[in-house]
């Protein structure tokens, strides 16, 4: 954003439209999105915008942006660390089904055994 802003300011200077430092600081603060309004208010309250250098404003905004990004990364890592474990539930009906499955398996094995004995 700052590079685009600088390009625009330089282009305007070539057209003989010059802005002083305090005007540029105010323009940058005005163009920030609503999510940055608490930071804008803090800068306006804590610092004199008439004497605030553009580089200092840029440094303050970049620091705030990096802090926000670090918090977002930390939240994403916390979400990834949380694991969900699901257990299989069992009821009385499932034990009956399990015993039916076991009986079917035993029956099949017994039939195979008899078939081998008959032809063997």
């Amino acid at each position: 954003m700052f590079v685009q802003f600088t390009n625009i300011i330089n282009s305007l200077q070539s057209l003989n439209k010059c802005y002083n430092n305090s005007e540029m600081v105010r323009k940058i603060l005005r163009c920030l999105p609503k999510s940055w309004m608490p930071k804008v208010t803090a800068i306006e309250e804590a610092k004199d915008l008439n004497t605030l250098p553009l580089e200092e404003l840029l440094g303050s905004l970049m620091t705030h942006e990096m802090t926000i990004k670090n918090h977002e990364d930390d939240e994403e890592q916390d979400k990834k660390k949380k694991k969900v474990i699901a257990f299989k539930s069992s009821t009385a009906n499932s034990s009956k089904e399990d015993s039916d499955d076991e009986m079917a398996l035993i029956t099949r094995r017994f039939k195979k055994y008899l078939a081998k004995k008959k032809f063997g």
Side-chain angles (χ1 to χ4, degrees):
M1 187 253 333
F2 185 70
V3 172
Q4 291 175 336
F5 179 77
T6 305
N7 288 338
I8 292 169
I9 292 298
N10 291 338
S11 298
L12 287 171
Q13 283 178 349
S14 67
L15 297 172
N16 295 326
K17 177 63 177 168
C18 296
Y19 292 99
N20 61 29
N21 190 59
S22 66
E23 289 175 325
M24 289 189 287
V25 167
R26 292 177 198 281
K27 286 187 182 297
I28 288 179
L29 291 176
R30 274 197 314 254
C31 78
L32 292 171
K34 286 186 178 183
S35 61
W36 285 67
M37 283 304 123
K39 182 63 176 177
V40 170
T41 305
I43 291 172
E44 289 174 346
E45 293 293 324
K47 301 183 183 196
D48 183 16
L49 298 183
N50 293 325
T51 60
L52 179 66
L54 195 58
E55 294 78 18
E56 187 177 332
L57 173 68
L58 178 64
S60 178
L61 295 175
M62 288 176 69
T63 303
H64 181 66
E65 184 178 26
M66 289 171 48
T67 304
I68 290 172
K69 193 168 195 112
N70 286 339
H71 285 299
E72 289 173 356
D73 291 345
D74 290 344
E75 288 176 3
E76 286 179 21
Q77 288 178 355
D78 288 344
K79 287 180 184 178
K80 287 180 182 178
K81 286 181 182 177
K82 294 179 182 177
K83 293 182 181 178
V84 178
I85 300 173
F87 294 102
K88 184 178 178 182
S89 65
S90 62
T91 60
N93 293 340
S94 66
S95 63
K96 183 178 179 183
E97 291 172 3
D98 289 343
S99 64
D100 289 345
D101 290 341
E102 289 175 6
M103 188 58 118
L105 180 63
I106 291 170
T107 305
R108 276 184 276 160
R109 286 185 178 171
F110 187 68
K111 284 182 181 179
K112 284 181 184 178
Y113 174 77
L114 288 178
K116 284 182 183 179
K117 283 289 186 183
K118 191 176 193 180
F119 295 109

